[in-house]
Amino acid sequence: MTSTRTATRADDEVFDFNLNAVQAETDLKPFVFLWAGKDDPNRRLTMAHLEALDVWPLMAAADNGDASAMTGIFREALGKEQWADFRATPLPQYKLKALFAAYRKHSGTEAGESAASSDS
């Protein structure tokens, strides 16, 4: 004999978890860095805090490997306009590595640890 269970809940029943009530555990201060462009040697670019980024585009980018995941992070953190400006200037890999390390440090994550990692 097989039974089919259907998970239903009346609208007035208690919920198991209120995601709306979750608050960030850290200050989500943006990360600002200098990267000279053609017209501005002191151009400042601002990246949203790593933990403030929308996870859905990041997860989609991560499906294509580490390089794509990092690109997705920069694209989301900078936003469309700044992402285009950032990509308009050639960027040596050693500078990208240093920038990503500084961004992770600012955001409170270490190499090999994602923003969603647990402390366990």
Side-chain angles (χ1 to χ4, degrees):
M1 175 198 307
T2 58
S3 69
T4 304
R5 289 181 52 178
T6 304
T8 59
R9 214 179 266 254
D11 284 345
D12 62 345
E13 287 186 34
V14 176
F15 46 82
D16 294 313
F17 182 74
N18 184 356
L19 187 56
N20 297 323
V22 175
Q23 299 293 318
E25 294 180 4
T26 61
D27 179 14
L28 300 179
K29 181 181 171 185
F31 176 75
V32 180
F33 65 99
L34 292 176
W35 179 233
K38 285 182 181 180
D39 301 327
D40 186 357
N42 293 310
R43 176 178 60 170
R44 285 176 171 76
L45 296 171
T46 302
M47 295 172 66
H49 192 283
L50 185 59
E51 289 194 15
L53 302 181
D54 181 4
V55 298
W56 304 124
L58 300 181
M59 290 170 57
D63 284 344
N64 296 314
D66 290 347
S68 183
M70 188 182 334
T71 300
I73 289 170
F74 279 108
R75 183 174 43 244
E76 290 301 310
L78 287 164
K80 287 182 182 181
E81 186 177 319
Q82 285 193 115
W83 173 244
D85 290 344
F86 182 65
R87 296 221 29 218
T89 304
L91 179 65
Q93 186 172 339
Y94 72 91
K95 288 191 181 226
L96 180 66
K97 286 180 179 180
L99 175 61
F100 196 56
Y103 179 57
R104 281 193 325 253
K105 183 177 180 181
H106 169 84
S107 296
T109 60
E110 298 298 322
E113 176 185 351
S114 74
S117 294
S118 69
D119 291 338
S120 56

